[in-house]
Amino acid sequence: MKLATLRTPTGTAAVRVEDGKLVELGYRDVGELLRRGELSAAATMNGREYPLAGSDLAPVIPEPGKIVCVGLNYRTHILEMGRQLPEHPTLFAKYADALVGPYDDIALPPESGAVDWEGELALIIGATVRRARGETARAAIAGYTVMNDVTMRDFQYRTSQWLQGKTWEASTPLGPYLVTPEELSQDAWLRTFVDDVEVQAAPIADLVFDPVALVEYVSTITTLRPGDIIATGTPGGVGHARKPSTYLRAGATVRTRIDGVGEIVNRIVPETT
């Protein structure tokens, strides 16, 4: 099953994706549907229908309570950055204001000259859990989506703390869908393209800490609730690690695709202040 959050003339609406159409589910967005415990029921709900083609999709979870991101979690990326494999996940946070829709523009802020791409698989929490283990952690995953953790590298490396480079407003596309776990193959690949040139390609099996391990770890620290997001990290191929370093410029188009999950497509534009 695939769910999305659709922008309509009267606000947003949670919808189910099927047969080239979107079916309204009676909730403001997918996050609200999850908080009401209606994920399973969404498969049979019926409401107003819209064409999928040309739809204006919001971030699939527009207002998550938490966005927990994992750095250095693909073996290839860790090695290209000249680091050792970690014993524990490297965590940082984003705020909901960083999110944009799966096909929205990404604005280049005038303060940064080192804006980088980081395609990622993100998981969406569907149950309230604390110190979850094993099957409890697995069952807490409502589904998966695509994210690009667009990063301002010059701000990220101003200090040893990454937050200031990671949560710029309107910088992080999320979507297009929540795809329930049975639709994600462990053989799936993540690929990122800049102007149709493939810059990242890796199997999600290359993750050092897989989604279940991340739910276990993060829920040890804090309660995870429906609609919370954990971004699992980016593979090798980021612009900062290239020789010379390469960054996003106005006019570029970035696409991130994960087999079985979907694709986000974002144009890079100058920020208008």
Side-chain angles (χ1 to χ4, degrees):
M1 181 169 61
K2 293 182 178 180
L3 305 178
T5 297
L6 175 68
R7 295 174 177 135
T8 78
T10 57
T12 59
V15 293
R16 184 178 67 250
V17 183
E18 61 177 38
D19 300 328
K21 63 185 178 184
L22 304 174
V23 181
E24 218 175 282
L25 302 176
Y27 293 94
R28 180 168 50 91
D29 55 55
V30 175
E32 182 183 46
L33 181 144
L34 294 175
R35 290 190 291 273
R36 297 290 185 88
E38 296 291 339
L39 178 60
S40 296
T44 56
M45 291 176 178
N46 289 303
R48 182 176 178 180
E49 297 182 359
Y50 305 84
L52 174 59
S55 56
D56 184 10
L57 298 183
V60 64
I61 308 291
E63 298 177 349
K66 303 179 190 70
I67 308 172
V68 181
C69 302
V70 183
L72 304 173
N73 198 28
Y74 276 85
R75 291 170 180 85
T76 54
H77 182 46
I78 293 167
L79 295 176
E80 79 172 355
M81 300 298 279
R83 298 172 181 263
Q84 300 296 317
L85 293 181
E87 294 184 25
H88 307 289
T90 299
L91 303 182
F92 58 93
K94 282 183 180 280
Y95 304 124
D97 286 343
L99 299 180
V100 296
Y103 312 123
D104 291 349
D105 292 345
I106 297 171
L108 288 176
E111 296 86 356
S112 177
V115 180
D116 202 354
W117 59 85
E118 291 195 7
E120 305 201 12
L121 172 72
L123 65 91
I124 300 171
I125 298 296
T128 300
V129 289
R130 180 78 197 279
R131 299 189 175 94
R133 294 293 179 269
E135 287 305 311
T136 301
R138 187 181 305 278
I141 300 173
Y144 297 92
T145 193
V146 185
M147 191 176 98
N148 198 313
D149 177 24
V150 173
T151 301
M152 287 56 181
R153 297 293 187 191
D154 39 7
F155 277 77
Q156 178 186 6
Y157 294 121
R158 283 184 169 187
T159 72
S160 62
Q161 303 301 311
W162 293 355
L163 177 71
Q164 59 198 322
K166 292 288 191 174
T167 192
W168 283 70
E169 188 162 327
S171 66
T172 304
L174 183 76
Y177 314 123
L178 178 158
V179 173
T180 46
E182 72 276 3
E183 298 204 25
L184 177 65
S185 168
Q186 288 306 301
D187 296 328
W189 277 63
L190 180 155
R191 302 179 191 275
T192 303
F193 301 81
V194 177
D195 289 335
D196 295 323
V197 176
E198 185 177 88
V199 292
Q200 292 183 289
I204 61 171
D206 193 41
L207 287 168
V208 178
F209 303 101
D210 67 18
V212 172
L214 293 174
V215 173
E216 291 179 337
Y217 191 77
V218 177
S219 73
T220 300
I221 299 165
T222 185
T223 299
L224 291 172
R225 305 182 191 280
D228 287 349
I229 294 167
I230 300 177
T232 63
T234 200
V238 298
H240 187 73
R242 295 170 180 265
K243 305 297 182 187
S245 296
T246 303
Y247 301 112
L248 294 170
R249 296 289 181 252
T253 298
V254 181
R255 294 187 291 124
T256 302
R257 181 173 69 233
I258 301 176
D259 298 333
V261 180
E263 180 179 70
I264 57 178
V265 182
N266 307 96
R267 191 167 58 104
I268 308 301
V269 301
E271 182 178 332
T272 56
T273 56

